[in-house]
Amino acid sequence: MTTEGPKPQAGPEGAGRSSAKEWGDILRQIEDQVRREAARLVGLPEESPWDAIGREAGDSARRGAAQTVGLQDDAEWDDIGREAEHAARGTVAHLVGTSRDADWPAIGRTADEKVRAFLNDLFGRGKPAPSAPEQSEIKKDEPPIDPWA
């Protein structure tokens, strides 16, 4: 019986390192392609670095938001936010029936008053309660009463 030493591994020594290097090269190529496409999407040269791409993407988003709310392209985020809030508040104020320049508390009070008035009209608050029908007055072949009609 002969004892053999460890069997040699298949392939040249260091094959694991070359595989890792190959994968590293592939991933770098993918990263380069993604960076080039991102640069192209935001209108920068393909060789632009990630920080320039990020700045341009942020500027592009800010310009689009500014245009959406009716401001100039160079508007700052604070101005965009104020204008968006003002437009939303004006729309909600109009929907609840108060002036477009009303503040949020006034809008809330108006909405509360309208909902309360609607519910009071609907359920007859302040009106005398109808008397309960006698059991003999209920006819089983009649359809149910629609409270919304």
Side-chain angles (χ1 to χ4, degrees):
M1 180 176 210
T2 61
T3 57
E4 297 179 22
K7 294 183 179 179
Q9 295 180 357
E13 188 175 305
R17 276 188 238 127
S18 71
S19 177
K21 184 179 181 303
E22 288 171 0
W23 276 109
D25 291 342
I26 290 170
L27 293 174
R28 274 187 289 283
Q29 289 171 3
I30 292 171
E31 188 266 341
D32 286 342
Q33 182 63 35
V34 170
R35 184 186 43 74
R36 283 192 302 269
E37 289 301 315
R40 186 183 60 77
L41 285 172
V42 298
L44 292 176
E46 288 184 353
E47 63 276 358
S48 299
W50 278 115
D51 60 337
I53 294 167
R55 269 193 310 277
E56 185 58 33
D59 287 346
S60 178
R62 183 188 45 72
R63 286 189 302 268
Q67 289 175 354
T68 299
V69 299
L71 296 176
Q72 296 295 322
D73 286 355
D74 60 349
E76 295 298 323
W77 281 113
D78 288 342
D79 298 327
I80 294 166
R82 266 191 299 281
E83 186 61 30
E85 188 273 338
H86 178 74
R89 185 170 28 90
T91 300
V92 173
H94 177 72
L95 289 173
V96 301
T98 190
S99 67
R100 285 192 172 270
D101 61 344
D103 61 3
W104 286 113
I107 294 168
R109 283 190 299 275
T110 301
D112 179 65
E113 291 167 5
K114 299 244 177 169
V115 169
R116 286 178 190 274
F118 171 76
L119 293 174
N120 287 339
D121 288 345
L122 182 64
F123 295 111
R125 186 173 186 190
K127 297 178 186 174
S131 60
E134 301 276 336
Q135 282 290 42
S136 61
E137 291 180 24
I138 298 175
K139 298 181 181 166
K140 295 186 186 237
D141 58 342
E142 288 183 5
I145 297 172
D146 183 359
W148 305 108

